[in-house]
Amino acid sequence: MLIRTRIAPSPTGFMHIGTLRTALTNYLFSKKRKGRFIIRLEDTDRTRLVPESEQDIIRSLKWARLTWDEGIDFNQEQKIIEKGSHGPYVQSKRLKIYNKYARELLKKDHAYYCFCTKKCLEKMKNEQQKLKQPPRYDKRCANLPQSVIREKLKSKQSFTIRLKIPAQGTTRWQDLVRGPISIENKLIDDQVLMKSDGFPTYHFAVVIDDHLMAITHVLRGEEWLSSTPKHLLLYQAFGWRPPKFGHLPQLLNVNGKKLSKRDGDVAVRDFIKKGYLPHALINFIALLGWNPKTTQEIFSLKELIKQFDLKKINKAGAKFDYNRLNWFNARYIKSLKTKELLKLSQPFIKNLKLPAKKIEKILFIQKERLSRLKDITKDIPFLIEKQISYPKELLAWKNQSNEQIQENLQKARIIISSIDIKNFSLDNIQNKLLKAGGEKRGELLWPLRVALSGQKQSPSPFECAWVLGKKQTLKRIEQAIISLK
Ligand code: GLU
């Protein structure tokens, strides 16, 4: 069987990290089994459309290197294009199809016209609430005589079409993640399939499309679990074979509550903006709620495909720990060549007015300590700005006297001066200073480091000197000595 999975985002906002996780799961599952991965746009809820969100979804998937075989894309002019033989892949272009299938259900008596107004439904809900009953459509339109229906349609009364849920029986399925699930049909509401604006509801369109697009496995977030019985009953009403369903555990914050904006970034674009690397974010989210059952933590996309197994997905919620993500990102940043880092860092350094060589040096030293590209220059303004100021007391290593500090700074000045400008390499600077510092290197290196950075904590004095260059380094040592006189 050819495996076909899909991601079916609604363009109702910027792509959520949970949607990226769902996309990744579908991608890994289909790639592992040499299947196809499809992207379909579910834009039938016209009241919740957010402009630009389609572009954001596609951009995010591309950024994450999750390629798809069929579905929508954007061309150079930012126009939607489609590839694949099961299109259109945008639901608003499929209205005729939904209409046709709604009619088929009406004919088979698996659906009915509902002429209840918003006001009447509101009243029904309030009454049920008063009686402490669950809010549910009371089926009052389910058995209207044909003549009444004809009359109402003729007089152009607004209507919806509802699914006739069987009064008896139980709907069951074997969830690929959660195991056997069952629900009594009498607890399921007569779902609206077609709205009064002529658009289908999510529940209707998703079933028609998954069927017509030959989707074999629906892997989606747990929030859709309660929708699945309705979908299965629709498959049953049509006499179609349903796909297999698997519901992925919710993303939680570190306290075990549903992950929300209050916990930090949740839109993929925010992670991009902060300088997370696609491979790091993918590696991190792949392991959320999934146990590879080895001690290995760093996985390339190829390795993830190889290792992926739905059976390894935990049922319990998946904790989204931003610190762990930072750890992954730091690991990936560290493994980059400086040239690659330079390329990826462009958005974060484009306003820096520094010579290219100096930028490369900054990247070289920051690579070791960075967890997000956005922070490239965060703790090192002293390497970028021409002037620095600091309290001179900071120059003292432990109880060093003023004279001792001056002596050591003079010593540093002589050493730095002695290094030929052509040999002003990090190694050379480090070797010379360490040799001169000997056993008591703190006495030499601390005042030097503060003279160059003006900070209690900073990269090493060797790194600072190397980035600043010989001239600027000597100037700052000079200034420190003067300040002590
Ligand atoms: N359109 C739904 C969403 O926004 C798709 C849910 C599903 O995968 O069935 O996530």
Side-chain angles (χ1 to χ4, degrees), residues 6-12 19 22 40-42 91 202 206 210 218-221 223-224 231 245:
R6 50 65 168 182
I7 169 103
S10 299
T12 52
T19 313
T22 307
R40 177 175 75 227
L41 199 64
E42 302 208 326
Q91 289 189 327
Y202 152 71
V206 81
D210 283 342
V218 171
L219 306 172
R220 59 186 173 194
E223 65 274 25
W224 302 103
H231 300 175
F245 289 93

Side-chain angles (χ1 to χ4, degrees), residues 7 15 20 23-24 27 37 39 54-68 71-81 83 268 272 277-279 281-282 301:
I7 169 103
M15 189 176 195
L20 184 64
L24 175 64
Y27 171 87
F37 175 50
I39 168 159
E54 290 119 79
Q55 282 94 332
D56 182 73
I57 291 163
I58 298 294
R59 224 180 283 137
S60 302
L61 287 170
K62 283 189 176 166
W63 173 83
R65 320 291 195 261
L66 299 184
T67 50
W68 55 99
I72 62 156
D73 200 347
F74 282 90
N75 66 10
Q76 303 239 314
E77 287 85 48
Q78 290 306 305
K79 289 234 158 63
I80 281 201
I81 51 169
K83 64 170 180 188
V268 177
I272 300 175
L277 304 182
H279 298 113
L281 186 63
I282 286 294
L301 200 52

